[in-house]
Amino acid sequence: RESFQPEPGEWKRFIYNPTSGEFLGRTAKSWGLILLFYLVFYGFLAALFTFTMWVMLQTLNDEVPKYRDQIPSPGLMVFPKPLSALEYTFSASDPSSYRGYIEDLRKFLKPYTLEEQKNLTVCPDGILSEQKGPVYVACQFPIFLLQACSGMSDPDFGYSQGSPCVLVKMNRIIGLKPEGTPRIECIPKDENVASISTYPNNGIIDLKYFPYYGKKLHVGYLQPLVAAQVIFSANSTKKEVTVECKIDGSPNLKNQDDRDKFLGRVAFKIIARA
Amino acid sequence: MVGGFSILLWVGAVLCWIAFGIQYVSNPSASLDSVYLGTVLAVVVILTGIFAYYQEAKSTNIMASFCKMIPQQAVVIRDSEKKVIPAEQLVVGDIVEIKGGDQIPADIRLLSAQGCKVDNSSLTGESEPQSRSSEFTHENPLETKNITFYSTTCLEGTATGMVINTGDRTIIGRIASLASGVGNEKTPIAIEIEHFVHIVAGVAVSVGILFFIIAVCMKYHVLDAIIFLIAIIVANVPEGLLATVTVALSLTAKRMAKKNCLVKNLEAVETLGSTSIICSDKTGTLTQNRMTVAHLWFDNQIFVADTSEDNLNQGFDQSSGTWTSLSKIIALCNRAEFKPGQESVPIMKRVVVGDASETALLKFSEVILGDVMEIRKRNHKVVEIPFNSTNKFQLSIHQTEDPNDKRFLLVMKGAPERILEKCSTIMINGKEQPLDKSMAQAFHTAYMELGGLGERVLGFCHFYLPADEFPETYSFDSESMNFPTSNLCFVGLLSMIDPPRSTVPDAVTKCRSAGIKVIMVTGDHPITAKAIAKSVGIISANSETVEDIAKRCNIAVEQVNKRDAKAAVVTGMELKDMSPEQLDELLANYPEIVFARTSPQQKLIIVEGCQRQDAVVAVTGDGVNDSPALKKADIGVAMGITGSDAAKNAADMILLDDNFSSIVTGVEEGRLIFDNLKKTIAYTLTKNIAELCPFLIYIILGLPLPIGTITLLFIDLGTDIIPSIALAYEKAESDIMNRKPRHKKKDRLVNQQLAVYSYLHIGLMQALGAFLVYFTVYAQQGFRPTSLFHLRIAWDSDHLNDLEDNYGQEWTSYQRQYLEWTGYTAFFVGIMVQQIADLIIRKTRKNSIFKQGLFRNKVIWVGIASQIIVALLLSYGLGSITALNFTMLKAQYWFVAVPHAILIWVYDEMRKLFIRLYPGSWWDKNMYY
């Protein structure tokens, strides 16, 4: 036990021992040596680590990640960006309740304005725009395709009318080439409560936006968007609906994974208060 | 299952459940991770507890079976019928019969006895047989002749008696309970492990709490901070270590049992290794426990006889006529006989009826002359006078085997001075010569010399009775002694000793070079004790006692400077008058000490004296009266063959062959296990840093968590278990028996150097290596190292399903989670690969691995194979089970940490090289653990 609870005097002597000149059990010289040793040793280790990291970084390619096996299939994400749970609560009569959503949507759609897109290419519809480089061009995504949810005709994105717009976006994955005719299908859980309009019509995602060549090469790339507008039925008293959106029509885009609830699908809830 | 690490883990488990409880209340869909973790922790504690219990129980069983080997039986008269019953069924008042060879089943008052002799040595230490009769001779039950004691043996004769005490109420039972009253001290290894647990638990708790506070200050949710706390504790506590230690100890115990050391208490395995003083018995432990002819003197010359165990090599000159006569006397003037039916048994192992010196002489002559019984038949004995203490001689008269020689031969042996008195002539080179002054002087010189060797000397003489005075028909009478007993012809002297076992001198030398002081404690005469001590090296050849110096310089004992003497022979009488301080001084100042004529109680005093010197004391003993000393000693060693049950019960270890050199083997094994435990602990502690850093960096720098808590447990209890046990099989480093015994308080199992080197040197290198693998995995999937810092909040957010990497790709939360698990697996593999290097470097602490031999310990390779196989199984076999957080790792990631592993090896070889090159230097002091 004594090793754990030295006498108070012993502590004092441990901190500074005047007879041997020891400070915390070591003499100044010993401390010096120890510090020097660790300085050199850790300096060496740090240099070594830096060097190995540098070597590792040399194996990387600036344009494309070395492996893409962990994201074979894209996830879906909605806008406005949910803060906590995927729930949008607003009141059509109270603009402050949805101001945040509208601002978020505007911010998100900023790159999609005509002004921003004027340098982009107009690509032919319905085919993959595979490119060989060295310069990669991005295709225009005309924002009017989103129709009522484009923010052009209705700056409130339908919120003030009680029919809110939610944008659905497919995650970017380098080199992804969807097969078939991919589209986003949104279905309300309870069809009596609300119906969904998707824009572009049928929620079509055009193949011309694929493949994606990465942030560095594919400057100005715009992801295709799909808007879902929730229209509550007039006779329903309940103004609360869960909407499930998923990718459909493409055999190589998964939408049914037990563990990943966002792989090719997304579910959100709209609560419209009076 | 309680105490030390277990408590910490229980706390961790309970915290996990509480955390889940709180989470569940606020959000019923909370993830079950913390419940898993809590359950796993609880299971770990319970399993290691059960395992340790099982190991202990197994070794206790070995002991139990050993005790039950000889159930004691007693012949009792009940219902006027003789019955044989187990001794424990005896009750007070039973009438029992005993005969020669029996163990006395209870304390018995004799009702009748015929020539009954008992061996009370186990009780009182008297080695002479004691005769017993039905007479009451003394008030003291220990002195009176009509009581025999439980557990002593009846040597010869028969007796009938009444049981007066049984079981614990017997004299021996009382001594045994006295022994159990002597406090059972904690074994040194138990203290060391406790010390180690304190250190590690202290580090775990203080780092845990420090980071708990930091986490709270950094505005983490308290629940998250608790989870960090648990993770830090789990990372720091070597869960598998205590089980490993138990296994290592029991492996050593098994190995020692093979070398005739049976260890009763697993922890005592190591105690022997830290022993700095051995208090050894003489008889039976250092010596062979049988009288053997050591020297002969005839023709005015001393001859040396072979005293080794098999005794077959009697190479002295046997051509002289004197030897012919002497050998005849030795063979004829002897009453001892071999028990019949032992023709196939080697002579030295045959059972003999007769006392110790007669037995020695019988065996001696049997070896040299051949069939002694046949010689005796040919030389028919006509009369004999047995040895008694007043005559001090033994005499017999025989017809000679030569049919032409009608003379009778009188042969006599006895105390040399008494024999010489009866002689007027002496035989030299087979011819009788008058015994003149110079011959008498030569006799005395020889007698003194042999006596000075501590040997029991006997004189031999003979006389051919003239045929005219004593015709063939003469009737000899032993009572009236109607034959001459003076003017005989002196033939020679013969001396006997209980010789040291042949392996003992070597063992004592080994002890000495291992820095262990061997003290002889015996009830024997100081001269004999000293002689044996000299012959086995307990007193080395060139060291002298105070008395020796006085004699050499011809001065009084008081004038001798005590510092000049290295050795001391202390008798029980002197010891009685010593104060504890004087005893301390004696023990501290003399490296070579012999205690002679000591009583069993004094043994306890000596042991206590040694323990006051901070020594770890091993005591050997066999008698019941030794049991308090055995119990008091740090490690009591009982003799398996001659030892009494009480001694065996009190001891921690049993020497199955009663051989001192087995103790030395035990010391070596004990030191080895201490070294190997050190290596095991160093090996186990190293990865703690690599396990701890991820959490610290996660909290402070906000990287995605590099390794999960459950994954950590797979290192501690998966890949690392077999390798750490494998270190218990490591062979000793070259200096193991050449260094001083460790100091109980200074040389700790886990010292500062070990902790610093494991944590701050190798541990840190490992952490860097593991981080390299981790960063490689993330970078090659799209997250470059720089982007990972402070990514934690976004990374861990379940609602953020489009986290962008450095290449513009977007990840859902589950995709990130899966990448995180890949990171866990990578980090895990990184640690595993470097632990292989760690395992290899831990094989030695000082010697180069190449000197120790990479392949000598095959189990290490089993360990390495197990590491790799377990890791492969976890990654590729169970990679699809989500709860385990493992994924299938790309083949090349297994090799990313290999350069680091090689670096660890090279660095450690350098460390060892400098330690060997510059012993005692700053490097040695700071880097040798």
Side-chain angles (χ1 to χ4, degrees), chain B residues 800-814:
Chain B
L800 185 64
N801 280 292
D802 60 347
L803 186 74
E804 198 179 315
D805 65 19
N806 293 83
Y807 295 89
Q809 306 191 95
E810 290 166 325
W811 297 66
T812 67
S813 114
Y814 181 81

Side-chain angles (χ1 to χ4, degrees), chain A residues 1-4 26 30 33-34 37-38 41-42 44-45 48-49 52-53 56-57 59-71 73 75-77 79 81-86 169-174 212 214-215 223 259-260 262-263, chain B residues 186 194-195 198-199 745 748 752 756 760-761 764-765 768-769 771-772 775-776 779-782 784-785 798-802 804-815 818-819 822 880 882 887 890 892-893 900 903 907 922-923 926-927:
Chain A
R1 277 304 131 140
E2 50 270 291
S3 60
F4 289 102
R26 287 182 182 278
S30 173
L33 274 171
I34 280 282
F37 172 77
Y38 278 103
F41 180 55
Y42 284 172
F44 167 72
L45 284 188
L48 184 89
F49 187 65
T52 50
M53 286 294 276
M56 185 271 285
L57 291 175
T59 67
L60 300 180
N61 179 328
D62 274 351
E63 287 118 32
V64 184
K66 188 153 185 173
Y67 298 112
R68 278 165 290 155
D69 56 315
Q70 303 231 335
I71 36 172
S73 194
L76 287 192
M77 188 61 187
F79 285 90
K81 214 163 204 166
L83 289 173
S84 54
L86 284 167
K169 174 199 80 171
M170 203 167 89
N171 280 353
R172 287 191 295 264
I173 289 175
I174 293 174
Y212 173 53
K215 193 157 86 177
Q223 286 161 279
R259 295 186 201 142
D260 193 346
F262 295 90
L263 191 70
Chain B
K186 260 194 192 142
E194 200 171 84
H195 174 240
H198 280 161
I199 290 180
K745 293 189 179 141
R748 314 302 311 239
Q752 190 202 330
V756 167
L760 297 185
H761 293 214
L764 204 75
M765 286 161 123
L768 289 181
F771 269 108
L772 181 67
F775 280 127
T776 308
Q780 298 195 337
Q781 290 287 350
R784 284 169 177 260
D798 286 341
H799 309 294
L800 185 64
N801 280 292
D802 60 347
E804 198 179 315
D805 65 19
N806 293 83
Y807 295 89
Q809 306 191 95
E810 290 166 325
W811 297 66
T812 67
S813 114
Y814 181 81
Q815 285 166 338
Y818 193 80
L819 178 59
T822 309
S880 50
T882 24
T887 68
K890 285 194 193 345
Q892 67 266 37
Y893 292 144
H900 270 258
L903 176 77
Y907 178 66
W922 176 87
W923 184 272
N926 284 287
M927 303 292 265

Side-chain angles (χ1 to χ4, degrees), chain A residues 205-220:
Chain A
I205 294 176
D206 202 294
L207 289 180
K208 67 184 171 186
Y209 302 105
F210 300 96
Y212 173 53
Y213 287 102
K215 193 157 86 177
K216 188 163 182 199
L217 296 178
H218 218 155
V219 183

Side-chain angles (χ1 to χ4, degrees), chain B residues 11-55:
Chain B
V11 169
V14 170
L15 280 179
C16 276
W17 290 324
I18 292 175
F20 175 74
I22 298 171
Q23 272 176 345
Y24 186 80
V25 169
S26 59
N27 174 14
S29 64
S31 94
L32 285 168
D33 282 355
S34 39
V35 178
Y36 290 150
L37 183 59
T39 312
V40 168
L41 290 180
V43 169
V44 164
V45 179
I46 293 169
L47 279 186
T48 49
I50 290 173
F51 182 74
Y53 171 80
Y54 166 75
Q55 281 289 345

